[in-house]
Amino acid sequence: RMLARTRIAVASGTAALLSRHRSVAELLSGGEALGGSADEEISNWSATHSAMPSLYFEPDSTDAVGQVIAFMHAAGQKLRVVGSALSPNGIGLSDGAMINMAQCSKILSVDPERRQVTVQAGARVSEVVEALRPHGLTLQNYASIAEQQIGGFVQVGAHGTGAAIPPVDEQVVSMRLITPALGEICLSEADNPRLFRLARVGLGALGVVSEVTLQCVPAHKLVQRVSVETRAGIAARHAELLQHQHMRYMWIPHTDTVVVVTCDPLGEGDGGGAPPPPVDEAWATEPLRELLLQRAPEQKAGASGMNFAQLRDALLELAPLDKSHVADVNRAEAAFWKRSQGARVDWSDRILGFECGGQQWVSEVALPCGAVGASDGRDLQYMTDLLALIEASDIPAPSPIEQRWSRRSASPMSPAHSAGEDDLHSWVGIIMYLPIDRPEARQAITDAFWDYNAVCRRQLWPKYDAHQHWAKIEPPADAAERAAVRRRLRDRFPVDEFNAARRELDPKNILSNRLLDALLEADP
């Protein structure tokens, strides 16, 4: 479920409004005069978090964005920026006011010589890609979902996969930030480089990103190959597999199956033959369909039309917390992938996006694991330990546990930040799927997922210096564990420097929300 979109034009007259409205009610009334709407309920994609913002703005120009920020700053009222609300932890949500850049979505310029594109922050990744296509350009890498707004895409440190390719914040050449205290500022390596690097993964807390210039690469086709390996096979071939331009593993708990997805540029001599034949999906999904009909024969009429993700969701929904049942589903999924081995060729943006399944809880960490071209083995050892924990416990862990890689980021707030230019980081994501219309089951799965996540947090993350993706981190309910999370964040990131920049650019802390304050504020 995507963020509700309300198209509202924003009026001028901020100073006059501020001179007239002093009470909270009057200030909110003034916000409505600036185009804010009330009574909006905003949910993230998986409907795991929602908010009822006091005002919801969707301005249609960057000047209007500045007016709203100035008004809310003067009023001392919260104003959280949100993009497409895809983040699993609802990092962009707030019960204070919210501002969405969806209508500030212009492609401002494409520079073919420099291979750069300048866009407004509300432009979606898919829109930027299409604007680049006539110029023979594309983005260097992609996360799995193309509907992200560019502002959110870079602010939370999104990443794709490829051992030699950094997270997407490293594509940012320059950016404009509209701040409560200083208005619009321009940042680049030439203009305030330290703040620029800090703001590239700024979490929407240093200002509202209004404009971004991205470094692009020549448009290219990729050959994607899907194959299946054993755990021992992965250990033997890992160094070789990391040489591919893009590579990810999908580990399937309770099986000896690891799905390997590699992508490499189509060579000059590779384009003359016929495209590889497509996988017969009806045949490939047969193991899942057969299991569904064994466990729920009443679903026979609908099962024939279900695709892979729908079949998996339907199977898991039958008994999502029964470890034995989940293991059976995982084994059927392993059979599906064995039947789905093959290759396909397409443009890089169409290859690197993929089906993520239905509503879900996700937790993902990044951990250092050597250098590009020379993994130190910690990436595979992490997976060995994680799978052992799962398989020795009662955790009903569904498939996949996805593992990806990236080169380091120079942005200090990136989970993949490190000093060495060739440092390698691995990203590992665990998952549980949520039924849409069964509140009691959703709550039970949520509780089980937090237990799953807590096992990783306590037993794996400190050992491997692993830290969560900013869009997937959730403060623990226990006060002592929250304090421990804050201490780990302070050990890993320059939190004091980041908070000092927040105080300078946003002295009234209007751009934050409860999540960020819980993670970044110092312990009392």
Side-chain angles (χ1 to χ4, degrees):
R1 183 167 63 179
M2 299 284 286
L3 171 69
R5 301 185 68 187
T6 306
R7 298 193 175 275
I8 302 164
V10 178
S12 60
T14 301
L17 281 167
L18 282 172
S19 69
R20 293 200 305 269
H21 302 297
R22 296 300 175 193
S23 72
V24 172
E26 288 176 330
L27 285 165
L28 292 178
S29 176
E32 290 176 351
L34 282 170
S37 62
D39 301 321
E40 299 270 2
E41 181 174 8
I42 309 299
S43 296
N44 68 338
W45 172 61
S46 280
T48 53
H49 291 275
S50 63
M52 291 284 292
S54 55
L55 286 168
Y56 179 72
F57 296 93
E58 201 169 295
D60 60 1
S61 71
T62 54
D63 286 346
V65 173
Q67 292 172 22
V68 172
I69 293 172
F71 178 79
M72 299 303 285
H73 173 60
Q77 297 290 311
K78 290 288 187 181
L79 180 69
R80 183 70 181 145
V81 63
V82 66
S84 300
L86 295 169
S87 296
N89 65 354
I91 193 171
L93 304 184
S94 173
D95 287 329
M98 290 170 58
I99 185 168
N100 189 324
M101 298 293 286
Q103 290 197 70
C104 296
S105 59
K106 295 177 182 175
I107 311 299
L108 298 173
S109 66
V110 177
D111 186 334
E113 291 187 7
R114 289 190 173 91
R115 296 177 179 169
Q116 293 176 359
V117 60
T118 300
V119 304
Q120 291 183 321
R124 295 180 185 271
V125 172
S126 56
E127 295 168 339
V128 176
V129 170
E130 291 308 316
L132 290 171
R133 211 178 294 279
H135 301 276
L137 298 173
T138 194
L139 299 181
Q140 182 184 42
N141 211 348
Y142 299 87
S144 55
I145 301 173
E147 293 311 303
Q148 292 167 299
Q149 291 181 17
I150 289 293
F153 186 55
V154 301
Q155 282 289 282
V156 298
H159 64 95
T161 191
I165 301 174
V168 298
D169 52 276
E170 281 287 318
Q171 299 175 33
V172 179
V173 175
S174 63
M175 59 195 299
R176 291 179 180 268
L177 209 61
I178 303 178
T179 71
L182 302 182
E184 186 175 79
I185 59 176
C186 301
L187 299 174
S188 68
E189 285 291 351
D191 296 317
N192 203 334
R194 181 63 184 178
L195 182 57
F196 168 62
R197 294 186 204 116
L198 204 62
R200 286 194 303 192
V201 183
L203 312 178
L206 300 181
V208 174
V209 178
S210 62
E211 186 178 304
V212 181
T213 297
L214 299 168
Q215 189 65 50
C216 304
V217 298
H220 55 283
K221 287 187 174 182
L222 293 174
V223 182
Q224 180 188 75
R225 292 182 172 87
V226 176
S227 60
V228 169
E229 263 291 0
T230 63
R231 295 180 187 182
I234 290 295
R237 297 183 58 208
H238 186 53
E240 164 211 334
L241 292 168
L242 280 175
Q243 303 306 309
H244 291 278
Q245 181 163 301
H246 306 272
M247 194 274 289
R248 59 188 172 100
Y249 296 152
M250 292 186 285
W251 300 79
I252 303 183
H254 306 293
T255 76
D256 192 28
T257 300
V258 187
V259 182
V260 181
V261 183
T262 65
C263 301
D264 295 288
L266 182 68
E268 289 185 6
D270 297 338
V279 171
D280 181 345
E281 186 173 10
W283 175 73
T285 55
E286 191 175 63
L288 291 155
R289 188 173 294 104
E290 288 180 351
L291 182 61
L292 180 60
L293 295 180
Q294 289 172 14
R295 303 289 166 89
E298 69 277 8
Q299 296 199 36
K300 181 176 182 180
S304 61
M306 292 182 183
N307 63 23
F308 158 66
Q310 291 167 335
L311 285 164
R312 180 177 59 192
D313 287 351
L315 277 163
L316 290 171
E317 192 170 341
L318 297 176
L321 302 182
D322 182 328
K323 178 182 175 180
S324 176
H325 173 75
V326 171
D328 286 343
V329 177
N330 287 357
R331 284 187 280 271
E333 180 170 342
F336 161 80
W337 284 112
K338 288 173 183 176
R339 295 180 178 207
S340 298
Q341 297 179 90
R344 71 184 182 104
V345 177
D346 210 333
W347 294 103
S348 61
D349 58 289
R350 295 170 184 163
I351 288 282
L352 296 174
F354 54 88
E355 168 68 67
C356 293
Q359 293 186 359
Q360 57 200 236
W361 280 110
V362 182
S363 176
E364 184 182 38
V365 295
L367 59 131
C369 58
V372 174
S375 165
D376 62 11
R378 288 163 57 84
D379 45 2
L380 293 191
Q381 190 58 49
Y382 183 97
M383 288 306 311
T384 297
D385 288 356
L386 174 55
L387 290 164
L389 280 173
I390 290 168
E391 291 164 1
S393 72
D394 292 327
I395 297 171
S399 173
I401 298 174
E402 188 174 25
Q403 186 170 31
R404 297 190 264 180
W405 287 263
S406 74
R407 187 189 289 265
R408 70 91 189 223
S409 166
S411 303
M413 293 297 286
S414 168
H417 172 74
S418 56
E421 186 174 341
D422 290 329
D423 288 349
L424 180 66
H425 296 259
S426 182
W427 302 78
V428 179
I430 60 173
I431 193 168
M432 281 190 178
Y433 300 93
L434 293 165
I436 294 176
D437 297 320
R438 296 173 55 201
E440 290 184 6
R442 286 176 70 93
Q443 186 57 56
I445 294 167
T446 296
D447 294 342
F449 183 78
W450 292 135
D451 291 342
Y452 185 10
N453 193 59
V455 168
C456 298
R457 183 175 65 245
R458 294 165 190 156
Q459 300 190 41
L460 294 179
W461 299 351
K463 177 181 177 180
Y464 288 94
D465 194 23
H467 289 270
Q468 281 184 288
H469 191 306
W470 285 109
K472 297 165 187 174
I473 185 171
E474 304 265 3
D478 180 77
E481 293 208 28
R482 280 199 309 276
V485 168
R486 283 195 294 270
R487 286 193 296 273
R488 288 199 74 229
L489 289 173
R490 287 180 166 274
D491 289 343
R492 176 68 176 90
F493 301 105
V495 172
D496 287 338
E497 181 185 5
F498 189 75
N499 284 342
R502 291 169 69 195
R503 289 190 293 272
E504 178 183 1
L505 301 174
D506 179 23
K508 297 181 182 179
N509 196 33
I510 71 167
L511 297 178
S512 188
N513 60 6
R514 284 194 298 268
L515 173 64
L516 288 184
D517 288 342
L519 295 173
L520 298 176
E521 292 302 315
D523 290 330

